[in-house]
Amino acid sequence: EFRRVLFRSEVVPGLAGVNCHSALVVDDDLVVLQQVKAMLDALGVSEVLTAINGVEANRVLATRGGEIEVLVCDLSMPEMDGVELIRRFGETGFKGGLILISGADEKIISTVNKLAVLQGVRVLGQLQKPVSAAQLAVLLAHAEDLPALEQQAAAGPVVSRKAIRAAMAA
């Protein structure tokens, strides 16, 4: 617990924790998967689940009845990549938020971001690897605004006061 508090205050000074209870991290790189899970744990996400590809992520979502607040998803994975996973989540009416992470070029990530929005998925943001806890904290601050993101495709991203404060602190 001491490590968690120390880590949180070192990474994003003034951020007491995020208002996110459940997250699913999907990445085929086990090191990245564990690092992102540890960052989310340290930021105060109550339950952090992991999957190594889209097929496994679909199983996790099915067992949870679709109740995941935030999906943190890599784009390039074997069996079912992030693009296909996002498409399937869109078809199922996934109500959570999406954070895209990838080592790919920023233009590719932006294109997938737009595709996700067109699929009806609420995109909280996109990050290039390596991902930092401060970056995740800023995007997770958007998670509390999920109901307000209904008009995201038409109106652009919604930025809460908490997200702005977290960004300034980072």
Side-chain angles (χ1 to χ4, degrees):
E1 188 61 34
F2 174 73
R3 173 78 178 127
R4 172 185 239 171
V5 172
L6 179 65
F7 180 68
R8 185 182 303 151
S9 64
E10 286 173 350
V11 173
V12 187
L15 184 65
V18 295
N19 190 23
C20 177
H21 303 289
S22 62
L24 172 60
V25 182
V26 188
D27 198 310
D28 63 322
D29 183 330
L30 296 178
V31 173
V32 172
L33 189 73
Q34 291 307 312
Q35 286 176 335
V36 174
K37 180 186 183 326
M39 287 181 217
L40 293 172
D41 285 337
L43 289 169
V45 178
S46 306
E47 183 178 24
V48 183
L49 306 167
T50 60
I52 58 169
N53 59 41
V55 174
E56 192 175 309
N58 271 327
R59 282 191 211 118
V60 170
L61 190 67
T63 61
R64 295 286 305 236
E67 295 299 318
I68 299 287
E69 286 180 74
V70 175
L71 171 66
V72 180
C73 185
D74 186 17
L75 298 183
S76 178
M77 297 177 287
E79 292 187 56
M80 181 190 298
D81 65 19
V83 176
E84 178 65 17
L85 177 63
I86 292 163
R87 186 184 67 75
R88 290 194 183 183
F89 272 41
E91 289 173 353
T92 63
F94 175 64
K95 300 295 182 207
L98 170 67
I99 297 174
L100 296 168
I101 60 171
S102 180
D105 181 76
E106 194 170 327
K107 289 181 182 180
I108 293 171
I109 303 170
S110 292
T111 300
V112 175
N113 185 331
K114 291 173 186 170
L115 289 171
V117 171
L118 291 172
Q119 292 288 329
V121 176
R122 297 173 178 150
V123 181
L124 300 176
Q126 61 192 44
L127 301 171
Q128 280 195 290
K129 292 179 181 178
V131 175
S132 74
Q135 292 171 317
L136 285 171
V138 169
L139 296 180
L140 286 173
H142 291 289
E144 68 186 29
D145 298 326
L146 282 176
L149 293 178
E150 292 291 335
Q151 304 299 323
Q152 180 179 1
V158 175
V159 181
S160 70
R161 288 179 188 188
K162 186 174 180 180
I164 292 170
R165 277 188 239 122
M168 289 171 44

